[in-house]
Amino acid sequence: MIRYSILLFGIIATFLIAMFGLTILPKIFIDEGVKDPTYFTPFEVREGHRIFVREGCIYCHSKQTRPEGFGADVERGWGRASEATDYRNLLPHNLGTMRTGPDLANIGARQPGEEWHYINLYQPRAINEESIMPQFPWLFEVFSEDARPGRDGLNLPERFRIPGMKILPADEARYLVAYLISLDQETGVQ
Amino acid sequence: MSQAKKSKQRKEFNVADLDRKARYVVLFLILSGVFWLLFGTLLALVASIKMHLPDWLGSAGWLTFGRVRPLHLNVMVYGWASLTGAGVSLWMLSRLLKVPIPLRGYIIVAGAIWNIALLVGSIQILAGFSRGIEWLEFPVSTMVVIVLCVIIMARSVIVMVMTRSVKQLYVSVWYIIAAFVWFPLLGLVSSFPIFDTPTVQAGMNWWYAHNALGLWFTPIGLAAAYYFIPKVLGRPIYSYGLSLLGFWGLALFYNWNGFHHLIGSPLPTWFITISIAASVMMIIPVVVVAVNHHMTVVGSFSAVTYSPTLRFVVFAAMSYTFVSLQGSMQALRSVNEVIHFTHFVIAHAHIGMYAFVTMMLFGACYYILPRITLREWHSKKLIKWHFWLTAIGIIIYAGALQGIGIFQGFSMNDPDVPFTDTVTMTIPYLIARSVSGILMSAGHLIFVWLLIRMVFQPGEQPETPLIWEKIRKEFAL
């Protein structure tokens, strides 16, 4: 026979102890080392992070590299093992749990070229025929060839071009790419 | 006065009274849940097909994979499983404690508000205002509203326990009380804005996400298993002692499991190690519950052929054992090194939420709905189709994705394999997943058709259920 009061006490106690252990205790241990009110994130990067979250990139790309000897993240050239201090101000966190696509913790160092990112975001199949990444055409603007003289459209393969038109990154694409390029373990802090 | 009050409290209700009073509130919660099941199924198909046809519906922002997939999860979790699970729990509690569900009007209003919150949250995710935390993509406002609605239901649970007209609290009651205490606490803690650095938030994220399954859906699912298996078979549960061990084992260990989602991440290793240890300890309550259920069913296994409830519930209970033991293994570092970041985990989550929770709720619906509507299911054959489509669907799903997930993991850990190969190797299995999704969707449509026939088109009402005739006669239910 289990008494109601004991039952309720046990239910709440088991919950609170574990909650303290897994949410409050990590906060006490980690926060101090990573909270840095003076740390400055440029506007473009901040906006880019917002778009990264909005488009749900995290459901296919993790943003954490595992230590050497545990998986092959380092051997694959995805960067050194991530540390808590790599992650500072940008919320929500983007550690991720899935690698349908490659890890992005160090993508800025691995792919520093903006043009590469623009093409990959506009049409991933233009970079890698076998990619299953979604396209993000709503981050781009289509202009006629004559508009905006001096700005070249994306250098897409023939089959992805729109005849007589050129594709230029809109602000959102520029922010997102600024964010992706800022993901560099040596210089940037995410 | 107190004498009169006491005698009033001890008033015996017969099951017909209880079911009649539970009718509208339970029906409303179940039907709401089923609506979200259909919506979530549609989202699941879109997300699944997009994995192998990436340009399909590719030009609209609100239909991109990264918005549809989290919405699928949120709708299934907070819509289908939570609403239907709450309805099933309240009904079971009313039966077990022999008191009518109190606060029925409030619960219906709360349910309506809950539905509106889901609708608003869904639009927000598709429009790009996701909170961006897995399992918590609904904006905080939606989450808080849902938690308040659950608190109203929890209040009803507590009132039922306080005014019960039976002395003993059956094991299902423990689980239901626990679920209705744990979920509001979980939801509230996860909504506090104190987790304001990324890694700490990641910790909270997986503490929450694992506990949403472990402390909300699992207790509801197990309460249903503990209720329906003995009920349908008409025999008591095998062991009270094992029930006790199973319950407290779950309360002690499941709470600590969350960080096994963060193995290899930059969080301090000792937190993760605690979670790994707790995950392995989960073997105790899981095996205990499995033995308890198995010993109850043993000898009467053939009953699954004539009771659709038992068939779904037994399938679900077996899935629970399987998925939990698998989970304990997955938490081990050596296993996690391979399967983390692969489709294996996706399939694991679906065995938990679908093969266990969803199948359990289907089983419960097949039992509860005829009793609260006093109408009969219209087709025995279609119920069988529902079972086999969904059961075969989830088996194909799990088999395909877990099979390839292991190879995907090994390839990912072999730096000589180009990364693209780890993607292309999964494509045939992702297509198999879409096929399994179509099977499950067909099962859901059959279920909805049966439900519509029962609820909205009364037609001819047989005296006794076609399928449970045998049981009903024998045990006078």
Side-chain angles (χ1 to χ4, degrees):
Chain A
M1 190 62 204
I2 187 166
R3 289 171 69 97
Y4 172 58
S5 49
I6 295 172
L7 181 68
L8 208 57
F9 173 79
I11 288 169
I12 294 173
T14 49
F15 177 88
L16 288 182
I17 294 166
M19 186 207 73
F20 181 79
L22 292 186
T23 66
I24 308 299
L25 218 52
K27 187 174 163 58
I28 294 169
F29 274 84
I30 299 170
D31 261 7
E32 216 173 318
V34 298
K35 258 198 174 161
D36 184 359
T38 62
Y39 181 74
F40 174 72
T41 315
F43 171 79
E44 289 82 0
V45 171
R46 200 163 271 281
E47 280 296 293
H49 173 261
R50 190 179 62 77
I51 294 158
F52 188 87
V53 170
R54 184 184 79 188
E55 306 302 355
C57 307
I58 204 64
Y59 301 106
C60 292
H61 295 282
S62 63
K63 225 184 76 188
Q64 50 170 322
T65 32
R66 293 182 288 181
E68 210 163 354
F70 192 74
D73 302 8
V74 176
E75 290 87 337
R76 279 190 179 277
W78 286 347
R80 58 163 170 77
S82 297
E83 290 161 16
T85 45
D86 290 341
Y87 307 87
R88 297 253 171 186
N89 289 336
L90 290 176
L91 287 174
H93 80 90
N94 283 152
L95 290 184
T97 50
M98 187 63 197
R99 284 180 183 163
T100 307
D103 188 83
L104 297 182
N106 202 30
I107 187 69
R110 295 196 287 122
Q111 288 291 356
E114 288 181 15
E115 177 79 3
W116 185 92
H117 284 289
Y118 287 137
I119 294 174
N120 196 43
L121 288 170
Y122 180 75
Q123 177 47 276
R125 259 70 61 203
I127 298 269
N128 180 349
E129 199 60 51
E130 288 172 321
S131 169
I132 57 169
M133 180 170 139
Q135 43 170 317
F136 298 94
W138 55 93
L139 305 178
F140 295 83
E141 286 168 320
V142 183
F143 292 100
S144 94
E145 293 274 20
D146 322 320
R148 308 269 170 125
R151 285 188 70 186
D152 292 332
L154 294 184
N155 186 18
L156 292 163
E158 197 53 45
R159 68 187 178 106
F160 295 116
R161 288 194 187 173
I162 308 171
M165 300 293 206
K166 63 178 175 186
I167 315 272
L168 291 176
D171 283 348
E172 291 197 331
R174 291 195 296 109
Y175 297 151
L176 182 53
V177 169
Y179 170 68
L180 289 171
I181 289 175
S182 81
L183 298 176
D184 182 332
Q185 287 179 323
E186 297 320 310
T187 60
V189 202
Q190 297 157 10
Chain B
M1 178 61 200
S2 78
Q3 198 64 32
K5 200 177 165 197
K6 209 170 181 182
S7 71
K8 196 181 166 207
Q9 275 184 5
R10 293 273 179 245
K11 183 175 177 237
E12 279 281 341
F13 290 92
N14 64 37
V15 287
D17 280 344
L18 295 174
D19 285 352
R20 189 168 43 78
K21 295 204 163 161
R23 181 180 302 162
Y24 293 108
V25 58
V26 173
L27 196 59
F28 178 64
L29 291 175
I30 290 178
L31 288 180
S32 304
V34 171
F35 167 79
W36 293 106
L37 172 73
L38 274 190
F39 182 48
T41 306
L42 185 67
L43 295 167
L45 284 176
V46 171
S48 176
I49 292 169
K50 272 169 172 283
M51 292 281 285
H52 47 86
L53 290 175
D55 284 335
W56 181 61
L57 302 177
S59 55
W62 62 281
L63 279 176
T64 192
F65 177 82
R67 302 192 199 177
V68 172
R69 177 230 183 265
L71 183 59
H72 156 67
L73 185 149
N74 279 256
V75 159
M76 288 305 199
V77 165
Y78 302 109
W80 153 246
S82 290
L83 279 164
T84 305
V88 167
S89 304
L90 291 173
W91 181 86
M92 285 192 291
L93 213 54
S94 162
R95 279 286 194 102
L96 283 164
L97 301 174
K98 295 206 172 17
V99 283
I101 300 171
L103 308 174
R104 291 187 292 274
Y106 290 97
I107 294 172
I108 287 179
V109 172
I113 294 172
W114 186 333
N115 278 306
I116 294 166
L118 289 170
L119 187 67
V120 172
S122 302
I123 294 168
Q124 281 177 300
I125 290 180
L126 289 183
F129 298 97
S130 159
R131 199 178 159 197
I133 306 174
E134 278 186 74
W135 282 72
L136 285 168
E137 282 91 348
F138 276 142
V140 175
S141 51
T142 299
M143 191 64 199
V144 170
V145 171
I146 290 174
V147 165
L148 291 177
C149 295
V150 177
I151 288 176
I152 292 172
M153 293 170 191
R155 164 103 184 121
S156 163
V157 167
I158 301 295
V159 170
M160 272 194 266
V161 175
M162 304 298 267
T163 60
R164 66 185 186 272
S165 56
V166 291
K167 209 157 170 281
Q168 202 171 343
L169 292 179
Y170 180 62
V171 47
S172 294
V173 180
W174 317 339
Y175 280 110
I176 294 172
I177 296 173
F180 278 87
V181 171
W182 281 332
F183 183 72
L185 285 172
L186 266 176
L188 285 182
V189 174
S190 75
S191 303
F192 282 154
I194 57 169
F195 306 103
D196 52 359
T197 52
T199 32
V200 173
Q201 195 186 48
M204 182 282 282
N205 182 178
W206 290 108
W207 164 80
Y208 172 86
H210 201 90
N211 283 356
L213 182 71
L215 303 182
W216 173 234
F217 298 116
T218 300
I220 290 176
L222 289 181
Y226 269 112
Y227 182 84
F228 289 109
I229 292 174
K231 192 77 175 172
V232 173
L233 294 175
R235 48 158 74 169
I237 201 79
Y238 171 69
S239 160
Y240 175 80
L242 288 181
S243 313
L244 207 59
L245 188 59
F247 176 78
W248 289 113
L250 181 131
L252 273 175
F253 303 131
Y254 226 140
N255 269 299
W256 289 92
N257 272 12
F259 276 33
H260 63 213
H261 291 265
L262 294 163
I263 297 171
S265 80
L267 273 94
T269 313
W270 61 280
F271 287 117
I272 294 167
T273 306
I274 292 172
S275 277
I276 296 172
S279 308
V280 175
M281 293 299 273
M282 273 305 288
I283 292 172
I284 296 170
V286 168
V287 169
V288 159
V289 167
V291 168
N292 212 1
H293 289 166
H294 178 77
M295 295 305 286
T296 309
V297 178
V298 83
S300 312
F301 203 78
S302 59
V304 297
T305 58
Y306 63 83
S307 166
T309 297
L310 198 66
R311 190 182 307 174
F312 277 100
V313 168
V314 166
F315 182 88
M318 285 160 69
S319 304
Y320 171 69
T321 311
F322 174 75
V323 78
S324 304
L325 294 178
Q326 192 183 54
S328 297
M329 298 242 301
Q330 279 173 240
L332 299 172
R333 278 199 173 80
S334 51
V335 180
N336 196 273
E337 182 183 2
V338 177
I339 54 102
H340 195 28
F341 302 121
T342 71
H343 290 294
F344 190 94
V345 183
I346 310 290
H348 175 73
H350 280 84
I351 305 173
M353 274 309 287
Y354 196 92
F356 167 44
V357 177
T358 298
M359 294 301 256
M360 189 72 81
L361 292 175
F362 284 146
C365 287
Y366 278 117
Y367 190 92
I368 296 171
L369 286 165
R371 285 163 179 79
I372 58 173
T373 60
L374 302 176
R375 289 170 200 169
E376 190 39 62
W377 293 107
H378 280 245
S379 167
K380 189 174 170 178
K381 207 169 168 185
L382 283 181
I383 297 178
K384 278 196 173 147
W385 272 99
H386 175 204
F387 177 79
W388 288 111
L389 283 169
T390 48
I392 292 171
I394 188 64
I395 289 168
I396 293 176
Y397 188 115
L401 286 197
Q402 295 207 319
I404 196 61
I406 293 170
F407 288 101
Q408 188 193 3
F410 278 117
S411 312
M412 210 183 290
N413 288 348
D414 178 355
D416 298 332
V417 178
F419 186 83
T420 307
D421 289 2
T422 70
V423 178
T424 47
M425 69 192 293
T426 62
I427 302 287
Y429 300 87
L430 294 174
I431 294 171
R433 189 248 300 265
S434 290
V435 171
S436 79
I438 290 167
L439 294 182
M440 288 185 270
S441 308
H444 298 167
L445 288 174
I446 289 174
F447 179 58
V448 171
W449 169 242
L450 286 168
L451 209 57
I452 290 173
R453 294 262 305 206
M454 169 184 264
V455 178
F456 300 109
Q457 296 183 349
E460 216 174 296
Q461 291 166 32
E463 286 275 299
T464 51
L466 303 166
I467 301 152
W468 304 301
E469 203 174 358
K470 203 168 155 188
I471 312 167
R472 206 174 246 249
K473 267 188 197 144
E474 206 168 327
F475 305 106
L477 294 174

